[in-house]
């Protein structure tokens, strides 16, 4: 049963203990939000897309960038935070009339569980079951598949997406944590850990190229790095954000830069200077086949230093 009413959600899932609060709130566009605060961090999640909008470890500024121009409408993805791209990443493999990055980011997810694991760690579990979606979604993707999203909000952030194939046939899954990092100033930022890795360069017709040295953004960057399982570090003047992942062999780095950002309409005038997407993915040749009855997990941990 899907509960989307604020009172019921609070009755079933809110937490109010000495060091943890977790509360469901009405928000813009009638899309409920969850506010979480524990001893080591606070966070904000929208039920549409199970979209993490903000994660602020104690004594830090937000690790996630959220556009001032973001719109909070039903069926539209929020620009910033962590959109979940699922069950495909970017354009659909065979049908380019389908929406980019799948539908998980624009539909409501169900809350399955909330728990204060300790005074410093709060867990939330969401589910999206394709068998319970409306006709529009079933027409796009008629597969008996569900996905469970677990978040652990702490001084580091741990995210895991588990896809279960309940059907009698194999399905192909592309996905990503499309994370918008708040990097303060793109000019002082570099991404380390992708040196010498091969990438597909989207603005140059997906030509295969090799990354030389740390990645420094000075114009539009939209790259799908392949064979990347190692830790990636996003460094700026004030901090280092470390990305560790499992179940993913592709990493996407994206910044639209000025001209593309202007055309997008929801990036804000200087947004491109303050954000950088570093996305742990199953994309390009890392799209996974999940056999009937099988499952696949992609997970990531973000740590500040
Ligand atoms: O992950 C990079 C990317 O696929 C880019 O090509 C860019 O278009 C971006 O995602 C944003 O996509 P969206 O559909 O959210 O506008």
């Amino acid at each position: 049963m899907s509960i989307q009413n604020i009172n019921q959600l609070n009755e079933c899932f809110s937490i109010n203990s000495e060091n943890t609060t977790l509360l469901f709130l009405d928000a813009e566009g009638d899309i409920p939000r969850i506010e979480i605060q524990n001893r080591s961090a606070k966070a904000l999640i929208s039920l549409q897309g199970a979209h993490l909008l903000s994660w602020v470890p104690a004594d830090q500024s937000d690790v996630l960038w959220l556009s001032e121009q973001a719109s909070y409408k039903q069926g539209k993805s929020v620009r910033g935070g962590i959109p979940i791209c699922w069950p495909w990443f970017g354009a659909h493999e065979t049908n380019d009339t389908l929406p980019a990055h799948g539908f998980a980011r624009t539909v409501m997810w169900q809350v399955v569980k909330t728990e204060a694991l300790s005074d410093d760690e709060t867990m939330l579990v969401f589910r999206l079951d394709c068998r319970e979606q409306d006709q529009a979604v079933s027409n796009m993707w008629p597969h008996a598949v569900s996905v469970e999203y677990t978040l652990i909000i702490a001084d580091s952030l741990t995210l895991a997406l588990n896809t279960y194939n309940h059907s009698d046939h194999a399905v192909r899954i592309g996905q990503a944590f499309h994370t918008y990092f708040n990097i303060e100033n793109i000019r002082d930022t570099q991404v380390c850990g992708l040196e010498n890795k091969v990438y597909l360069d989207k603005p140059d017709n997906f030509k295969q190229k090799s990354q030389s040295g740390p990645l420094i953004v000075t114009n539009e960057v939209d790259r799908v790095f392949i064979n990347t399982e190692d830790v990636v570090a996003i460094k700026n003047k004030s901090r280092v954000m470390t990305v560790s992942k499992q179940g993913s062999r592709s990493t996407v780095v994206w910044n639209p830069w000025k001209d593309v950002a202007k055309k997008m309409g929801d990036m804000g005038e200087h947004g491109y200077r303050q954000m950088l997407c570093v996305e742990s993915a199953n994309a390009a040749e890392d799209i996974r086949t999940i056999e009937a009855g099988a499952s696949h997990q992609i997970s990531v941990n973000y740590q500040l230093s």
Side-chain angles (χ1 to χ4, degrees):
M1 186 194 51
S2 148
I3 312 172
Q4 302 295 3
N5 168 291
I6 294 288
N7 294 336
Q8 284 176 321
L9 286 165
N10 276 318
E11 245 167 62
C12 299
F13 300 111
S14 67
I15 303 176
N16 190 3
S17 64
E18 198 187 335
N19 289 303
T20 305
T21 53
L22 186 154
L23 199 63
F24 292 79
L25 305 167
D26 269 321
E28 233 177 286
D30 287 333
I31 304 168
R33 283 186 183 179
I34 313 172
E35 258 183 18
I36 303 125
Q37 170 121 43
N38 59 35
R39 228 170 33 182
S40 57
K42 57 183 184 178
L44 193 60
I45 302 173
S46 169
L47 278 199
Q48 178 169 276
H51 196 132
L52 186 61
L53 300 170
S54 164
W55 166 51
V56 188
D59 305 324
Q60 288 285 343
S61 57
D62 210 316
V63 178
L64 304 177
W65 177 83
L66 184 60
S67 173
E68 287 167 5
Q69 304 286 314
S71 71
Y72 302 93
K73 291 194 184 118
Q74 293 189 5
K76 179 161 171 43
S77 180
V78 173
R79 181 70 60 201
I82 309 187
I84 299 295
C85 304
W86 186 95
W88 59 89
F89 174 82
H92 184 273
E93 275 189 292
T94 53
N95 183 350
D96 62 10
T97 64
L98 295 180
H101 295 319
F103 50 83
R105 61 182 181 160
T106 52
V107 298
M108 299 293 275
W109 288 55
Q110 263 176 264
V111 184
V112 176
K113 189 178 179 183
T114 57
E115 188 181 344
L117 300 178
S118 71
D119 289 342
D120 299 291
E121 291 182 307
T122 311
M123 182 177 74
L124 299 98
V125 184
F126 296 89
R127 185 184 298 136
L128 175 60
D129 193 327
C130 294
R131 294 168 295 187
E132 293 165 8
Q133 299 303 306
D134 64 16
Q135 200 56 46
V137 169
S138 318
N139 290 346
M140 274 194 263
W141 211 70
H143 303 292
V145 172
S146 65
V147 59
E148 218 162 72
Y149 183 24
T150 304
L151 300 92
I152 299 177
I153 310 292
D155 59 354
S156 79
L157 178 68
T158 305
L159 311 173
L161 272 179
N162 278 289
T163 300
Y164 301 94
N165 182 0
H166 310 280
S167 76
D168 58 3
H169 56 269
V171 293
R172 283 172 65 72
I173 294 286
Q175 57 186 340
F177 298 107
H178 197 301
T179 307
Y180 289 76
F181 286 98
N182 168 18
I183 42 90
E184 288 167 10
N185 188 348
I186 193 73
R187 295 189 194 281
D188 302 325
T189 301
Q190 53 176 29
V191 183
C192 302
L194 297 169
E195 295 80 355
N196 305 318
K197 294 290 180 191
V198 170
Y199 65 89
L200 309 175
D201 192 7
K202 188 171 171 191
D204 194 8
N205 268 326
F206 293 98
K207 230 184 238 169
Q208 256 198 30
K209 300 181 180 173
S210 174
Q211 176 65 37
S212 73
L215 195 162
I216 296 165
V217 180
T218 54
N219 51 25
E220 183 190 3
V221 166
D222 195 347
R223 302 178 183 178
V224 183
F225 287 87
I226 52 184
N227 287 323
T228 54
E229 290 180 279
D230 299 342
V231 169
V232 166
I234 305 154
K235 302 181 177 173
N236 66 15
K237 273 193 172 158
S238 51
R239 60 190 179 185
V240 177
M241 291 163 268
T242 304
V243 180
S244 317
K245 60 179 182 155
Q246 286 181 324
S248 156
R249 293 191 292 267
S250 44
T251 304
V252 181
V253 180
W254 177 59
N255 182 298
W257 210 248
K258 199 174 180 174
D259 294 343
V260 176
K262 212 178 237 172
K263 288 185 210 141
M264 290 170 61
D266 60 358
M267 283 290 299
E269 202 188 336
H270 302 301
Y272 75 97
R273 295 186 192 163
Q274 287 139 11
M275 57 67 69
L276 183 63
C277 286
V278 176
E279 310 165 36
S280 299
N282 293 132
E285 59 195 52
D286 188 29
I287 292 175
R288 303 295 172 106
T289 297
I290 308 180
E291 299 299 335
S295 64
H296 168 63
Q297 185 187 72
I298 179 172
S299 64
V300 74
N301 176 264
Y302 301 138
Q303 180 96 50
L304 283 188
S305 55

